[in-house]
Amino acid sequence: MTPRANDLAVRPVTPPEIPDWIRALNTGFLRTPDVSDDELADRSSYIDLTRTLGAFDGSRCVATFRSFPQELTAVGGTPVPADAISNVTVTVTHRRRGLLTRMMERDLAAAKERGDVVATLIAAEYRIYGRYGFGPATSATQWEIDVTRAGLDPRWSAPEDGGRIDLVDAEDVRKLGPELHERLRRAQPGAINRDDRYWQVTTGAVRLTRAAPWAEPFHAVYRAADGEVQGLATYACDDTWNDAKQPVDTATVRGLIATTPAAERALWHHLCSIDWVAKVKSGWRSPDDLLPLLLPDPRAATITTQADWLWVRILDVVRAMEARSYEGEGTLVFEVVDAAGLAGGRYRLVASARGASCTPTAESAELTLDVRELATLWLGDESAVRLAALGRVREERAGAARVADALLRTSRRPWCPDIF
């Protein structure tokens, strides 16, 4: 007989159960369910079993869930503690039994108890996570550049600003990358921290058997005139020739981070001036990335993908609203509806360029919204006026959505460069 939902145990995974948990994880993501010794050793080295959940039908793991500590940069550059959620699956034979709900409720309650301000995830499927209070808070765009149409000087070999581009190896990236990324994430709303494992994996020092065979990429560093490293691009090139025996290679960017517009401009120009390269695929970028407008002919950059990226769930409204900065000045009383009971309530926000206070209040609300809509607005990427037009935000006082936009919208869009 099919077990009832209450007959299925949801609990932290024990060390002997890690192989079965990995098998369920691989099954859920439609990868081969085999668990190699290398994969077992690798995952065992970094997962925190107190935050690694499984649902068990007897002794068999049929659902997986993992969280880990993270820092997320709020508008203005303040990092807030986040509960990062990943490795979420439910085996196809055990869907619709509330297993994800039980795992999510357990994890979010623990995150709230720890004092995390938000929870984060990258959603594989759009329709799942809104019911747990998550809202899409950043988006990402991919461009494909037709180098022959871009209008850049194909003979370009060095920046005109006194800086320089150097090709470096993986060991250099492991030395230079962490500090460069720290400078970027302090200034980029929506960015998250990268641990040492990130740099080990992305430079091939740790090679994952579950991934494609490792092929060493190219790494280009931009140094300003004073020698400071201000940008890093990692990319790979294919080997394609057309019928006329002409090279028409594609350079695929695996990651490009820059702390100044000069570095960003120089790295994209470098990528578009490599001999034999006819196309450049940008990788995931911010939707308002400078890239297209850096080209003399912006039409040479065609959008190939645009989608939601980082999803956020507010756990502490007061700390979340006080952590970020505000470009406008004003007061807003808003009511947050949270079916899970983690962040609901009525709050009075007083904000200006000098800082903000957010306090619980008994005053009449001017705006009412679900906690997932607050998450969508928090990093400044969405408009309360748009959400009101969709019926997802309710104005209790005419014009309150415009006040919210004046306070919350940002001049540049938030961006999360990473997936987890």
Side-chain angles (χ1 to χ4, degrees):
M1 295 179 62
T2 302
R4 295 172 299 176
N6 290 339
D7 294 333
L8 303 175
V10 171
R11 55 175 172 75
V13 174
T14 64
E17 293 169 332
I18 296 175
D20 193 39
W21 185 88
I22 298 173
R23 186 176 296 107
L25 174 66
N26 288 342
T27 298
F29 283 110
L30 301 182
R31 299 189 289 252
T32 175
D34 294 341
V35 181
S36 68
D37 291 342
D38 286 342
E39 182 174 13
L40 176 59
D42 175 59
R43 290 198 185 273
S44 298
S45 70
Y46 67 84
I47 61 174
D48 178 352
L49 292 183
T50 66
R51 298 176 64 165
T52 302
L53 302 176
F56 292 85
D57 184 351
S59 62
R60 185 176 183 84
C61 186
V62 294
T64 64
F65 190 108
R66 182 176 72 89
S67 70
F68 58 94
Q70 186 183 78
E71 285 189 347
L72 171 65
T73 302
V75 176
T78 298
V80 300
D83 176 52
I85 295 170
S86 188
N87 298 151
V88 178
T89 73
V90 177
T91 302
V92 65
T93 55
H94 287 69
R95 294 177 299 172
R96 310 295 183 263
R97 304 190 200 181
L99 296 180
L100 174 55
T101 297
R102 290 168 64 188
M103 293 188 294
M104 183 69 76
E105 288 176 348
R106 181 170 181 152
D107 182 80
L108 292 179
K112 177 78 172 181
E113 181 68 22
R114 277 194 307 269
D116 291 334
V117 174
V118 298
T120 61
L121 54 81
I122 306 289
E125 296 184 54
Y126 191 97
R127 298 181 66 182
I128 293 175
Y129 293 100
R131 64 179 184 262
Y132 302 115
F134 287 85
T138 78
S139 297
T141 303
Q142 292 189 97
W143 282 272
E144 183 173 278
I145 305 169
D146 183 343
V147 172
T148 60
R149 288 189 51 202
L152 294 170
D153 182 358
R155 299 167 299 175
W156 182 90
S157 60
E160 296 78 13
D161 58 5
R164 57 181 290 169
I165 299 286
D166 293 318
L167 291 179
V168 299
D169 60 22
E171 184 177 355
D172 294 318
V173 172
R174 289 192 288 272
K175 293 176 182 177
L176 301 173
E179 195 277 332
L180 174 67
H181 178 263
E182 278 298 298
R183 279 188 277 133
L184 170 74
R185 81 171 180 108
R186 292 188 205 120
Q188 178 60 61
I192 59 175
N193 61 305
R194 292 176 176 176
D195 59 15
D196 182 63
R197 176 181 165 75
Y198 170 91
W199 297 103
Q200 297 289 318
V201 170
T202 56
T203 59
V206 172
R207 301 191 181 183
L208 307 179
T209 56
R210 60 185 178 275
W214 176 258
E216 191 75 21
F218 300 97
H219 306 284
V221 163
Y222 170 85
R223 289 184 169 91
D226 62 2
E228 181 184 57
V229 173
Q230 296 181 349
L232 167 67
T234 296
Y235 58 95
C237 296
D238 62 10
D239 183 16
T240 304
W241 296 71
N242 65 17
D243 293 339
K245 199 178 176 295
Q246 294 176 321
V248 285
D249 289 7
T250 296
T252 299
V253 177
R254 296 185 182 177
L256 188 153
I257 56 175
T259 57
T260 64
E264 197 169 350
R265 179 188 299 274
L267 287 171
W268 286 119
H269 204 158
H270 164 73
L271 288 159
C272 290
S273 64
I274 300 171
D275 292 337
W276 295 9
V277 168
K279 290 183 179 180
V280 174
K281 293 184 176 181
S282 71
W284 294 104
R285 309 295 303 164
S286 172
D288 65 346
D289 197 90
L290 300 178
L291 170 58
L293 299 180
L294 291 175
L295 307 177
D297 185 350
R299 294 181 185 177
T302 303
I303 293 175
T304 57
T305 309
Q306 184 159 313
D308 57 283
W309 195 247
L310 183 74
W311 288 55
V312 170
R313 207 277 187 211
I314 304 293
L315 296 172
D316 187 324
V317 175
V318 170
R319 291 170 64 201
M321 302 306 286
E322 291 185 346
R324 58 158 290 168
S325 64
Y326 297 84
E327 296 180 10
E329 182 170 345
T331 301
L332 180 69
V333 178
F334 60 98
E335 176 129 7
V336 180
V337 178
D338 185 355
L342 296 172
R346 192 174 300 168
Y347 303 89
R348 185 175 192 267
L349 173 67
V350 180
S352 72
R354 299 179 299 278
S357 68
C358 182
T359 55
T361 183
E363 296 179 47
S364 298
E366 300 167 299
L367 201 69
T368 299
L369 69 169
D370 191 272
V371 67
R372 62 179 178 265
E373 315 305 348
L374 179 62
T376 296
L377 295 169
W378 178 61
L379 284 176
D381 198 40
E382 187 50 273
S383 161
V385 171
R386 275 171 40 110
L387 295 181
L390 292 167
R392 291 160 54 184
V393 164
R394 186 173 71 248
E395 285 189 322
E396 311 294 355
R397 180 181 63 78
R402 292 188 178 278
V403 172
D405 278 354
L407 293 176
L408 299 173
R409 296 302 298 272
T410 56
S411 54
R412 291 293 302 272
R413 298 181 70 175
W415 176 48
C416 179
D418 297 302
I419 190 168
F420 54 92

